[in-house]
Amino acid sequence: MNELQVTFDGRSYTFQPGQTVYIGRLSDNSIVVGDPTVSRRHAQLTWGPAGWLFENLGQARTFHNGQDIRQVIVRKPTELSLASPQGPVLHLEPLEPAGSQATFQAGPQAAPFGTPPPSAPQPGFGPSPEGYGPPAGGYGPTPGGYGPPGGYGSAPGDYGPPPGWVAPGGAGSRAPHHEGVGDELVTAFEILIPVKTWLKDSGWHQGLRLLVIAYALLPLLFLALLSSSSSLSVPGFAYSLYVAPLWAIAFWLLVRPGRIAALEIYVGIAIVVWVTIWLYVVTVNINDQLVNAVRNGNFLAALAVGYNEEITKALPILLAALVLLKFRATKLGVRMWMFLGTISGLTFGILEERLYTEMAIAQVANASAVSQADTGVLDFAFRVFVDGFEHAVWAGVSAFFIGIAINYPRRRWQLILLGVSMVAVLHGLNDWSVSEFNSYWPGILIQAISLLLFIGYTMSASSIERQIRRTPLFRGDSMAMDVLSEPRDPGRS
């Protein structure tokens, strides 16, 4: 038995003599090649007395050693490129029994039909009056096809090139097989819009592409799934969740906390859970006692609200840092704690926005003038896009001081109090200015100061920590590693 082994795209196929092997894009081919430049029925392999014959069928071409071919006898391992010299590669290898040789073994291996014989005379070859060519009774057209007597086409089931075929490039060469207009259009479509190729591309695993898809589809999904809701808090909650991951990515780029591994993910989840529970059990109840005083312009009440909310965001950061230090002897870097602080702040902002966006929607619905409706819409947008960001900025600053305090315990509680107080005062001033001045400009100024602090710490965290290591005021019994000259923050201390 003279089996043929065909290898394509890392997969091997074995075919027996008598089988017709079809190759191309169609799914019913023996070997399916998904490349859009390959013809739908690109080629076939058939068995005859001289061995396996590869024949190009489609309009797209086939190349052997960079040369365009239409037919080739496969007598030894051969590689053929489909559609172009750089196209998909087929590896063809006849599996002959031991001691068996192809009928015309002296001929060129895997040579196209019509290739001149080698210069040395070989059995069955010899000079002819016109030059090299088959001797009488040698190669030449036969009644049954093209080949030696008793060879191609001489018996039922044998095969040969179509009548009139001669060597490539010679007079009377067979015209290439053309696919129909419909097939050509399909080929053009698959080349220009290669959906199958796109779907198989590993680029889909990249997070940025998936994020783009999600952010393009989610607003439509909100409309489809939430349009029948009777709660005014639903839109604000949905869009707050929509915006928060974008801010988290921005904070990650700004803070540069280093690699986020499983430990950091678990700590982040614990922080989100803590903030959610503490907010509804403690923070809201305290604020309810102070809200009327804040609306009446009482600064101390606004400051109390500031401390109440900033402690809510800072407490899980401090507890997580102490737990890791005591039970795992692990200290995360200052930048990592700063980033986790922003996650705490975003969580707080998402939960708080539900109340404020509900009020904004109600204002739009009950507006008696266009200006009132405009104010309601703008307030809704502010709460969704900026409220969580504002809380994250404040929480990030206090978390920076908590990270310093954990690593340099000599002034631990003073550092924590300083970090929380800085942002609590800014928070209280912000809430107080809204009711006291009835203007947005004081809030803009406070927001600018908050951003100055936050971005400043993201830029100088490493230098501040190096100076703390060198300063006796903090250095004392510091638990940080005594590394005085790193040019950058480590991901973990």
Side-chain angles (χ1 to χ4, degrees):
M1 297 294 288
N2 293 77
E3 298 177 341
L4 178 70
Q5 186 178 76
V6 182
T7 303
F8 171 69
D9 198 22
R11 183 177 178 183
S12 295
Y13 308 80
T14 302
F15 302 101
Q16 306 294 330
Q19 289 183 268
T20 299
V21 181
Y22 291 106
I23 302 163
R25 295 198 324 272
L26 290 176
S27 59
D28 62 351
N29 283 301
S30 310
I31 300 174
V32 178
V33 181
D35 193 295
T37 61
V38 173
S39 294
R40 302 175 73 187
R41 186 80 75 187
H42 189 97
Q44 70 177 16
L45 285 157
T46 48
W47 169 258
W52 287 93
L53 175 71
F54 176 95
E55 183 178 8
N56 204 89
L57 300 178
Q59 185 177 10
R61 297 178 294 175
T62 300
F63 294 83
H64 175 56
N65 293 332
Q67 180 184 1
D68 180 12
I69 63 167
R70 299 299 299 183
Q71 291 182 325
V72 65
I73 300 175
V74 183
R75 294 192 178 99
K76 69 173 184 179
T78 303
E79 289 192 347
L80 302 177
S81 300
L82 306 181
S84 73
Q86 294 78 37
V89 176
L90 292 176
H91 180 83
L92 313 177
E93 184 173 358
L95 305 177
E96 298 182 358
S100 174
Q101 294 182 345
T103 303
F104 297 96
Q105 61 180 8
Q109 301 293 311
F113 269 85
T115 301
S119 57
Q122 300 292 333
F125 281 93
S128 67
E130 291 77 25
Y132 262 101
Y139 274 101
T142 66
Y146 195 89
Y152 287 106
S154 62
D158 287 341
Y159 60 91
W165 184 93
V166 297
S173 293
R174 179 171 67 117
H177 175 81
H178 290 279
E179 297 178 344
V181 175
D183 290 342
E184 291 179 349
L185 290 175
V186 170
T187 299
F189 180 85
E190 292 182 349
I191 292 173
L192 297 174
I193 311 176
V195 176
K196 292 181 181 178
T197 302
W198 292 340
L199 292 177
K200 294 178 182 178
D201 197 305
S202 60
W204 291 109
H205 301 157
Q206 295 182 6
L208 181 60
R209 289 188 174 93
L210 296 176
L211 192 67
V212 168
I213 294 171
Y215 273 80
L217 295 179
L218 277 175
L220 292 173
L221 290 174
F222 290 161
L223 286 173
L225 300 176
L226 306 176
S227 58
S228 60
S229 172
S230 58
S231 172
L232 291 181
S233 65
V234 166
F237 185 63
Y239 278 98
S240 297
L241 287 173
Y242 179 83
V243 171
L246 296 178
W247 281 126
I249 293 172
F251 289 132
W252 184 82
L253 293 172
L254 280 171
V255 177
R256 293 171 287 121
R259 180 173 174 268
I260 297 177
L263 176 63
E264 288 81 2
I265 293 174
Y266 295 146
V267 171
I269 293 172
I271 289 170
V272 170
V273 173
W274 176 281
V275 170
T276 302
I277 295 173
W278 189 271
L279 178 83
Y280 288 113
V281 173
V282 177
T283 311
V284 171
N285 291 324
I286 294 175
N287 280 356
D288 285 345
Q289 306 302 316
L290 300 169
V291 62
N292 289 329
V294 174
R295 289 173 179 171
N296 291 329
N298 187 318
F299 174 72
L300 291 179
L303 187 60
V305 169
Y307 270 102
N308 182 33
E309 296 190 2
E310 294 310 317
I311 290 173
T312 300
K313 295 178 286 183
L315 193 56
I317 303 296
L318 176 60
L319 292 176
L322 292 174
V323 167
L324 288 179
L325 188 61
K326 181 169 182 61
F327 295 102
R328 296 192 54 165
T330 299
K331 295 178 291 176
L332 302 184
V334 172
R335 289 183 182 274
M336 182 59 71
W337 287 120
M338 192 174 184
F339 174 71
L340 291 172
T342 66
I343 300 301
S344 177
L346 286 172
T347 304
F348 188 99
I350 290 170
L351 298 173
E352 183 186 64
E353 286 161 19
R354 298 182 64 182
L355 170 65
Y356 288 113
T357 53
E358 180 177 352
M359 295 168 58
I361 294 172
Q363 179 179 347
V364 174
N366 300 323
S368 57
V370 173
S371 60
Q372 291 178 329
D374 286 347
T375 301
V377 171
L378 290 172
D379 188 47
F380 177 87
F382 165 78
R383 296 297 178 180
V384 165
F385 288 100
V386 182
D387 204 358
F389 166 81
E390 191 173 47
H391 281 288
V393 165
W394 288 330
V397 171
S398 64
F400 170 81
F401 280 89
I402 291 172
I404 293 289
I406 291 298
N407 289 340
Y408 303 92
R410 185 178 184 186
R411 305 290 179 184
R412 173 173 292 171
W413 301 111
Q414 295 97 316
L415 287 168
I416 294 172
L417 180 62
L418 174 61
V420 173
S421 295
M422 285 172 60
V423 295
V425 170
L426 288 170
H427 192 153
L429 284 170
N430 181 75
D431 291 358
W432 172 72
S433 67
V434 172
S435 57
E436 181 68 17
F437 297 103
N438 194 27
S439 171
Y440 294 108
W441 291 106
I444 293 172
L445 176 62
I446 293 168
Q447 183 78 290
I449 295 172
S450 303
L451 287 171
L452 174 65
L453 288 172
F454 179 80
I455 295 176
Y457 285 126
T458 64
M459 293 188 296
S460 60
S462 300
S463 63
I464 290 174
E465 191 169 7
R466 284 197 299 271
Q467 292 179 65
I468 287 175
R469 290 189 185 116
R470 297 187 179 103
T471 303
L473 178 65
F474 301 100
R475 194 171 58 204
D477 52 354
S478 170
M479 298 178 66
M481 296 177 62
D482 187 24
V483 182
L484 305 180
S485 58
E486 294 96 347
R488 58 182 177 83
D489 260 357
R492 290 186 185 178
S493 298

